[in-house]
């Protein structure tokens, strides 16, 4: 079974609108962390935001917020006020404290976001 | 502060040849990770170093892959002999502690013909 599922291979959003990128995960580990990375066309992987499984509040970093619904095992990324520079591939990833060895990240297949004028 | 750097950015080799990829982590980061993304598939973990020691190499596909991290600084990943299915983008990442976010390098795009 896929540990990280990103069901949207591609998304379009208009500039200044908000967009939600979906991510669901599967783990039996009681302690885990969820990450979002951005990969622009230049290729580098940029860390965006982190949510720990025990965090009570949803993580926010500037225009990025993580809609964490633990019971549904979802960790959707919300980008507010989209900008042209947000066009990129977005990866959701998980680190499992025990079953995953505690360190390695398991990635989804990514969502290609295109921001339009 | 310099980020994670990788060399080369691109490598094109023929099947059966040897290639060595290099990663320089962020200074002071004891944890170094190798991942790869084969075309159209998800990014997959290869291995994790803590300083010069291999902490987890469960993702290494086979014994044609050899990773080293001499002196706990930079790391190399050698593929010998390369096969067609080794083509992909190889990412290196580093982190200060094992629970901290991992900072990725720009990747090395490997093409095996």
């Amino acid at each position: 079974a896929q540990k990280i599922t990103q069901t949207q291979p591609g998304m379009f959003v208009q500039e200044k609108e908000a967009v939600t990128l979906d991510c669901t995960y599967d783990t039996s580990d009681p302690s885990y962390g969820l990450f979002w990375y951005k990969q622009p066309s230049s290729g580098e992987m940029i860390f965006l935001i982190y949510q720990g499984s025990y965090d009570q509040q949803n993580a926010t970093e500037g225009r990025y917020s993580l809609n964490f619904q633990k019971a549904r095992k979802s960790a959707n990324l919300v980008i507010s006020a989209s900008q042209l520079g947000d066009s990129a591939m977005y990866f959701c990833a998980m680190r499992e404290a025990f079953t995953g060895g505690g360190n390695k990240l398991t990635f989804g297949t990514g969502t290609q976001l295109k921001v339009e004028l | 502060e310099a980020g994670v750097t990788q060399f080369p950015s691109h490598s094109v080799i023929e099947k059966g040849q040897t290639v060595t990829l290099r990663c320089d982590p962020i200074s002071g980061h004891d944890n170094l990770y190798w991942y790869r993304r084969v075309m159209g598939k998800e990014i997959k973990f290869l291995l994790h170093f803590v300083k010069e020691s291999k902490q987890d190499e469960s993702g290494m596909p086979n014994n044609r892959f050899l990773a080293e991290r001499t002196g706990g600084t930079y790391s190399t990943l050698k593929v010998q002999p390369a096969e067609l299915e080794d083509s992909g983008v190889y990412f290196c990442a580093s982190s200060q502690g094992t629970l901290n976010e991992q900072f990725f390098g720009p990747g090395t795009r490997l093409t095996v013909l």
Side-chain angles (χ1 to χ4, degrees), chain A residues 91 108-109, chain B residues 36-44:
Chain A
F91 291 99
T109 50
Chain B
R36 77 171 176 179
R37 187 180 187 206
V38 172
M39 182 66 72
K41 299 201 172 180
E42 64 269 28
I43 300 166
K44 287 205 169 179

Side-chain angles (χ1 to χ4, degrees), chain B:
Chain B
E1 178 183 299
V4 177
T5 58
Q6 293 187 244
F7 182 82
S9 56
H10 292 83
S11 181
V12 181
I13 61 172
E14 293 194 347
K15 176 182 170 182
Q17 290 185 320
T18 297
V19 64
T20 301
L21 314 180
R22 173 171 170 145
C23 168
D24 286 79
I26 292 172
S27 178
H29 282 192
D30 288 339
N31 295 274
L32 187 149
Y33 310 81
W34 284 98
Y35 294 85
R36 77 171 176 179
R37 187 180 187 206
V38 172
M39 182 66 72
K41 299 201 172 180
E42 64 269 28
I43 300 166
K44 287 205 169 179
F45 167 82
L46 295 178
L47 88 160
H48 168 216
F49 284 99
V50 178
K51 296 186 180 178
E52 66 275 8
S53 299
K54 291 175 186 174
Q55 183 77 11
D56 181 354
E57 51 184 329
S58 61
M60 294 288 264
N62 51 60
N63 59 10
R64 295 185 294 103
F65 289 75
L66 175 65
E68 294 179 323
R69 192 182 182 193
T70 308
T73 54
Y74 70 90
S75 174
T76 58
L77 179 65
K78 181 160 71 172
V79 185
Q80 179 184 31
E83 298 288 345
L84 299 178
E85 63 264 25
D86 300 332
S87 295
V89 180
Y90 289 76
F91 290 101
C92 175
S94 72
S95 68
Q96 196 158 28
T98 54
L99 299 182
N100 294 66
E101 64 265 26
Q102 297 176 17
F103 294 91
F104 280 74
T108 293
R109 183 174 295 278
L110 174 64
T111 302
V112 182
L113 302 175

Side-chain angles (χ1 to χ4, degrees), chain A residues 49-85:
Chain A
I49 196 166
Y50 166 79
Q51 179 85 43
S53 57
Y54 293 118
D55 293 344
Q56 294 296 312
Q57 292 190 320
N58 287 347
T60 60
E61 287 287 347
R63 294 185 299 109
Y64 304 107
S65 60
L66 201 150
N67 184 1
F68 181 46
Q69 298 189 39
K70 196 169 181 177
R72 293 186 178 183
K73 292 189 174 179
S74 75
N76 298 339
L77 176 71
V78 180
I79 305 174
S80 63
S82 297
Q83 301 171 357
L84 294 177

Side-chain angles (χ1 to χ4, degrees), chain A residues 21-55:
Chain A
L21 307 184
D22 295 341
C23 173
T24 57
Y25 59 92
D26 181 26
T27 182
S28 57
D29 204 311
S31 178
Y32 53 91
L34 297 155
F35 299 78
W36 278 91
Y37 285 86
K38 171 185 177 182
Q39 186 183 39
S41 57
S42 50
E44 74 270 29
M45 295 276 284
I46 303 166
F47 166 74
L48 295 178
I49 196 166
Y50 166 79
Q51 179 85 43
S53 57
Y54 293 118
D55 293 344

